[in-house]
Amino acid sequence: MSTASMDAFARNISALVPHVVEARKRMAAGSASVVHPGAFYDAYQMRSQTSGPNGGAGLQQRYYNVLDDLAEGLQDVSTGMQNLSKKHSTTEDLNRVQTKDLLDALGNASADFQRLGNDSGATVSSSGGSSTGTGSQSGGTGGTGAT
């Protein structure tokens, strides 16, 4: 792998971040509407599952959290690759790159993507495998450095 290809990869991944951040901002601004299906038992159940009893919870909140995790993960991948490219700028340096160096550069992204799986409702193991879960996962609406 050359530093030019690592830099191109980092730029391409970084170009995705603003689109994910924009989607998250639109959700936070309220352009994603709260479901108001009616006033009967099944309608309340549907509203509770999609947007919570008063909005800002349920699937709506989980989707917001997933977008937040995705933006952070993509930014961490881009930053890690940029740092790896700067650290290994010569051919001799690149020949000495080990798997550990790559794992260290992308370590923060791994945690972000594991959190993304958990926030989506999937059960994610630390080895990267996942299965669909039925439990609800709540998380903060913390920001990302990608804004």
Side-chain angles (χ1 to χ4, degrees):
M1 184 181 286
S2 68
T3 55
S5 63
M6 291 180 357
D7 292 337
F9 177 76
R11 279 192 310 274
N12 290 339
I13 293 295
S14 185
L16 298 172
V17 174
H19 301 290
V20 176
V21 170
E22 179 62 25
R24 190 188 67 216
K25 283 181 182 177
R26 286 185 183 202
M27 285 193 74
S31 55
S33 61
V34 176
V35 174
H36 297 289
F40 55 95
Y41 177 79
D42 290 333
Y44 285 123
Q45 295 302 310
M46 185 171 72
R47 181 181 69 185
S48 180
Q49 291 295 314
T50 55
S51 57
N54 298 309
L59 289 174
Q60 182 180 17
Q61 182 63 43
R62 286 171 49 189
Y63 187 66
Y64 179 87
N65 292 345
V66 164
L67 289 173
D68 191 52
D69 299 336
L70 180 59
E72 287 184 30
L74 291 173
Q75 187 61 52
D76 287 344
V77 166
S78 177
T79 301
M81 267 311 188
Q82 288 170 346
N83 292 340
L84 193 62
S85 174
K86 288 176 189 171
K87 188 176 179 182
H88 302 285
S89 58
T90 67
T91 304
E92 291 81 22
D93 288 341
L94 287 171
N95 288 335
R96 289 191 291 269
V97 172
Q98 297 179 355
T99 303
K100 182 185 180 310
D101 297 327
L102 185 59
L103 292 174
D104 289 345
L106 302 178
N108 289 340
S110 178
D112 295 328
F113 292 130
Q114 182 170 357
R115 198 170 51 249
L116 182 150
N118 291 337
D119 285 345
S120 73
T123 305
V124 179
S125 68
S126 61
S127 64
S130 68
S131 62
T132 304
T134 57
S136 174
Q137 181 76 16
S138 64
T141 57
T144 179
T147 55

